[in-house]
Amino acid sequence: MNQTQTTSSVMKETAIKQAPIKQAPIKQALLIAGATGLVGKAVLKAALADPNTDHVYALLRRPLDIEDAKFTPWISDDLTPPELSANDIAPTVGVIALGTTIKKAGSKANLRRIDVDLVVNTATHMQTLGVKHLIIVSCLGANSKAMSHYLRCKGEMEQAVEALGVERVTFLHPGPLAGDREEHRQDEKWLQATMKWVKPLMVGRLKNYLPIEANTVAKAVMAQIQTAHAASVERLDSIAMTALAMTALADGQSD
């Protein structure tokens, strides 16, 4: 392994395992895509309750039953944002929680159109609006060379987003997600039912394969926004996200 490869490896490892670096709270405006999904909905709720969030925009295909002075929905069939007016607070952070399953998409091609093309197009639109920090929900095991079509699509998406050259990108790599969905997935019910038996065996890095609550991911997102970064591209697994969420909770209790 040459020096360049060693440096790259260390940076990637640091990006995943670094302890949160506290800094003075920064006021932010957020733009969320996927706010009707499990994670997106939790992030929207957390952002609206966050005193350091000045405004929250959401790219939506249908209106949400939310009335809040700092919330603006942008309705669009293809999730294209409008041009900002002189009175709009420009979003500096973009959260993308878009994704589907092969069963729901109906084909591998349709899954790729959502998990790769739609996510990358949305990231591009956010960059055009002036977003400096993208936080994107990917998945554990994302790899452009994976045998699994789903994991391969996530890996290809990450590569394409990195190529955009956004100032800071955080990819979230959760394991199975837990929480209240509008749709109920049979595989997730089975997983949650069996987890109580195998959970004691899941130690060390295996904890990444345990279900993680969408609310925990949302807390980690809000904490990550306020965390100084050591690398332009960061990847956070479930262990790292849980640690971030717990740190944010401890800080909130001590205030």
Side-chain angles (χ1 to χ4, degrees):
M1 182 180 290
N2 60 38
Q3 184 175 358
T4 301
Q5 290 174 321
T6 302
T7 302
S8 175
S9 176
V10 170
M11 286 183 67
K12 181 177 288 188
E13 196 71 13
T14 300
I16 294 176
K17 294 184 177 180
Q18 65 171 337
I21 304 172
K22 289 186 179 181
Q23 59 183 11
I26 300 173
K27 293 288 186 179
Q28 304 277 11
L30 269 64
L31 173 55
I32 302 174
T36 59
L38 182 63
V39 173
K41 185 164 51 177
V43 172
L44 176 57
K45 182 179 178 181
L48 290 175
D50 178 34
N52 295 317
T53 302
D54 281 337
H55 204 80
V56 183
Y57 302 93
L59 288 169
L60 302 161
R61 291 193 179 93
R62 56 183 173 83
L64 290 178
D65 187 20
I66 294 177
E67 292 185 9
D68 193 296
K70 66 178 187 180
F71 175 65
T72 300
W74 285 339
I75 310 299
S76 168
D77 288 339
D78 60 358
L79 301 184
T80 300
E83 292 185 7
L84 293 172
S85 71
N87 296 324
D88 289 329
I89 304 172
T92 51
V93 178
V95 178
I96 303 178
L98 299 168
T100 188
T101 62
I102 189 68
K103 181 178 181 180
K104 190 173 181 180
S107 69
K108 290 183 176 179
N110 285 340
L111 185 143
R112 193 181 194 285
R113 276 192 282 271
I114 295 171
D115 281 30
V116 181
D117 298 340
L118 181 59
V119 172
V120 176
N121 288 341
T122 302
T124 303
H125 288 312
M126 288 184 174
Q127 183 183 31
T128 301
L129 284 176
V131 165
K132 304 298 183 186
H133 184 188
L134 283 172
I135 301 177
I136 301 177
V137 180
S138 183
C139 74
L140 186 64
N143 189 321
S144 62
K145 294 181 173 58
M147 293 293 290
S148 161
H149 179 73
Y150 178 76
L151 296 179
R152 190 164 62 249
C153 282
K154 293 296 188 184
E156 291 173 1
M157 174 273 291
E158 292 189 13
Q159 287 184 339
V161 170
E162 284 190 54
L164 295 177
V166 179
E167 184 176 308
R168 182 184 183 188
V169 181
T170 301
F171 293 112
L172 305 181
H173 284 188
L177 290 164
D180 294 326
R181 293 184 185 271
E182 291 183 0
E183 57 174 317
H184 296 286
R185 298 178 181 176
Q186 193 61 39
D187 57 343
E188 289 182 348
K189 289 182 179 179
W190 176 85
L191 179 64
Q192 292 175 17
T194 57
M195 269 301 133
K196 64 180 181 180
W197 301 107
V198 301
K199 187 174 181 178
L201 304 176
M202 308 294 272
V203 296
R205 305 307 297 174
L206 288 177
K207 288 182 179 179
N208 282 317
Y209 294 90
L210 292 171
I212 181 171
E213 290 286 339
N215 288 334
T216 300
V217 176
K219 290 174 184 175
V221 166
M222 302 312 299
Q224 180 71 356
I225 292 170
Q226 297 294 335
T227 301
H229 57 290
S232 58
V233 178
E234 305 151 301
R235 289 175 169 84
L236 303 179
D237 55 26
S238 290
I239 293 174
M241 283 186 279
T242 300
L244 267 175
M246 291 178 66
T247 299
L249 180 61
D251 287 346
Q253 290 176 341
S254 62
D255 289 342

